[in-house]
Amino acid sequence: MIHHDKASPETLAVHAGVDEYEYRPVVPPICQTSTFSFANAEEGAALFAGEEQGYIYSRMGNPTVEALENCIAALEGGYRALACGSGMAAIHTTLISLLEAGDHLISSDAVYGPTCTLIDTVLPRCGIESTSVDTSDFSAIEQAFQPNTKVVYIETPGNPTLVIADLEAVCRLAHERGALVVVDNTFMSPILQQPFRWGVDVVVHSLTKFLNGHADVVGGAIVVKDEARYTAFRKILNHLGGVLPPFESFLVHRGIKTLALRMKQHSANAQKVAEFLEGHPAVEWVRYPGLKSHPQYEVAQKQMSGPGGMISFGLKGGIEAGRKMMNAVKLCTLAVSLGGVETLIQHPASMTHASMGPEARRRAHITDGLVRISTGIENADEIIADLEQALTLATAKSAPRSALGCRSNPPTPANVQPSEP
Ligand SMILES: Cc1ncc(COP(=O)(O)O)c(C=O)c1O
């Protein structure tokens, strides 16, 4: 067994959560069961009363899920983790656990679309109000505080603008005002950013992305720092019901074993791609935490141990150029989501956010030419070559459609999902 306090993230990713099991398998076995039998009525009563430790029913706890939870908690440097059925289930469970009617929440204005919808349309039905601000702007956060502000919710880097909040400064301010700080650490993973080091109170993840890393699971996680919060969150998660099943837990736990290697490669590839894009004449701007041109480059250097795999850039030529580029890529896969081993590309204005009007897109920081890339672990030069040929076709004047290398089924309004970046 490893000593969690002494082990590095690379070692924890491989070993944390792996216990000793019957038959001594090296990998935690999949305990694919909905329920667990009791030896007798007395044991059942003791388990329900919390007088004995053990498993009762898989919504309340399962050994395969717990192995994953222990691994994630160790990587984040937290007390315990709770695996959830999706990133959104983790965010929902967290906010409902921390807030009640009459409370106020401050959130980053650049957050994942459905998180924004949850905060703007679902939480008000529970009597919870919110203010969204640019959380890279300290004074904007300060001004948004109200006497009833209980939580500051931060996504850093934010989706899709990659805006970065100074976690240390935000935590100091929030704690002075009696509020807690929750951070969505999906874009970084605990390999590149450990929010608890800066004073953050709760960390949430979409496991669907870098932690699993293989685009074959939807899942989420919450990480907390103490027993009291763990018990309170576990109770709410049990009642809301958005838990992760054992097989998905097994897959994510397996994915995490290569997390440190993958994050290194995502970062190295994305750095090369971002530098290529910054020098390309068809590109108006590039936002990437590893470029000195990023407005919060210094903050990124302080709190992140690598720039990560996510890049946003602005294409000259707006919506039409974006559409052409999406139809021209060959190696890069045209798809939503992020954090897998394969490079994914998407153009929100013509795809995920096409049904929003231009004004709503502007408020969500989605400019017409904005393209988002989740850089995979393929050969960086081959990713760049693909982007280069796609940029050439996208910006070519009146090229015949057959020359654009169009896919047979370009995205149509019927097969895109509005507001799902
Ligand atoms: C930053 C971020 N947080 C949360 C989520 C939601 O995760 P899930 O799709 O697993 O519910 C996403 C999804 O893209 C995301 O990008």
Side-chain angles (χ1 to χ4, degrees), residues 120-245:
D120 285 354
T121 67
V122 180
L123 293 189
R125 292 166 62 185
C126 308
I128 300 160
E129 299 300 334
S130 67
T131 307
S132 69
V133 295
D134 173 358
T135 44
S136 70
D137 178 352
F138 186 79
S139 63
I141 309 177
E142 212 168 16
Q143 280 167 26
F145 263 92
Q146 298 181 9
N148 57 341
T149 302
K150 295 286 165 53
V151 169
V152 180
Y153 181 87
I154 307 260
E155 209 177 274
T156 182
N159 188 357
T161 57
L162 296 164
V163 67
I164 292 170
D166 182 335
L167 292 177
E168 191 177 24
V170 173
C171 288
R172 204 177 313 118
L173 172 67
H175 293 160
E176 272 168 23
R177 310 279 174 106
L180 298 171
V181 179
V182 177
V183 165
D184 182 335
N185 200 24
T186 299
F187 270 28
M188 288 284 95
S189 90
I191 299 294
L192 300 183
Q193 179 170 269
Q194 293 182 314
F196 290 145
R197 286 182 54 197
W198 307 105
V200 166
D201 300 283
V202 179
V203 172
V204 292
H205 278 283
S206 168
L207 299 178
T208 318
K209 318 301 178 187
F210 291 102
L211 275 104
N212 178 55
H214 294 76
D216 51 11
V217 170
V218 171
I222 307 166
V223 195
V224 295
K225 294 201 292 195
D226 58 63
E227 169 74 34
R229 191 149 292 137
Y230 173 74
T231 308
F233 276 46
R234 179 61 76 189
K235 208 182 239 177
I236 303 257
L237 178 62
N238 184 30
H239 293 144
L240 290 179
V243 295
L244 192 68

Side-chain angles (χ1 to χ4, degrees), residues 189-378:
S189 90
I191 299 294
L192 300 183
Q193 179 170 269
Q194 293 182 314
F196 290 145
R197 286 182 54 197
W198 307 105
V200 166
D201 300 283
V202 179
V203 172
V204 292
H205 278 283
S206 168
L207 299 178
T208 318
K209 318 301 178 187
F210 291 102
L211 275 104
N212 178 55
H214 294 76
D216 51 11
V217 170
V218 171
I222 307 166
V223 195
V224 295
K225 294 201 292 195
D226 58 63
E227 169 74 34
R229 191 149 292 137
Y230 173 74
T231 308
F233 276 46
R234 179 61 76 189
K235 208 182 239 177
I236 303 257
L237 178 62
N238 184 30
H239 293 144
L240 290 179
V243 295
L244 192 68
F247 183 58
E248 276 74 1
S249 300
F250 165 81
L251 285 175
V252 178
H253 203 166
R254 184 167 83 151
I256 289 177
K257 289 185 191 294
T258 56
L259 180 65
L261 279 177
R262 286 188 282 108
M263 292 317 295
K264 251 180 228 152
Q265 197 61 34
H266 285 301
S267 293
N269 281 2
Q271 183 73 39
K272 282 190 183 173
V273 170
E275 285 169 11
F276 156 75
L277 290 169
E278 205 165 43
H280 197 284
V283 172
E284 208 161 14
W285 53 266
V286 182
R287 189 60 59 82
Y288 179 64
L291 293 178
K292 291 217 168 90
S293 57
H294 191 293
Q296 292 89 41
Y297 179 76
E298 299 304 327
V299 182
Q301 293 294 304
K302 178 180 88 166
Q303 71 189 23
M304 292 152 53
S305 54
M310 301 305 299
I311 305 169
S312 288
F313 68 94
L315 200 52
K316 289 179 189 162
I319 294 196
E320 198 41 40
R323 198 175 282 130
K324 284 181 184 169
M325 185 178 182
M326 296 307 105
N327 287 336
V329 288
K330 294 190 175 93
L331 172 67
C332 302
T333 303
L334 181 57
V336 295
S337 200
L338 57 106
V341 291
E342 55 288 288
T343 298
L344 300 185
I345 191 163
Q346 70 130 327
H347 176 235
S350 73
M351 296 169 57
T352 51
H353 294 67
S355 63
M356 289 166 102
E359 177 51 26
R361 279 204 296 270
R362 194 191 57 75
R363 270 188 275 116
H365 308 281
I366 310 290
T367 57
D368 286 353
L370 181 121
V371 175
R372 195 188 72 180
I373 299 179
S374 169
T375 319
I377 62 167
E378 304 97 332

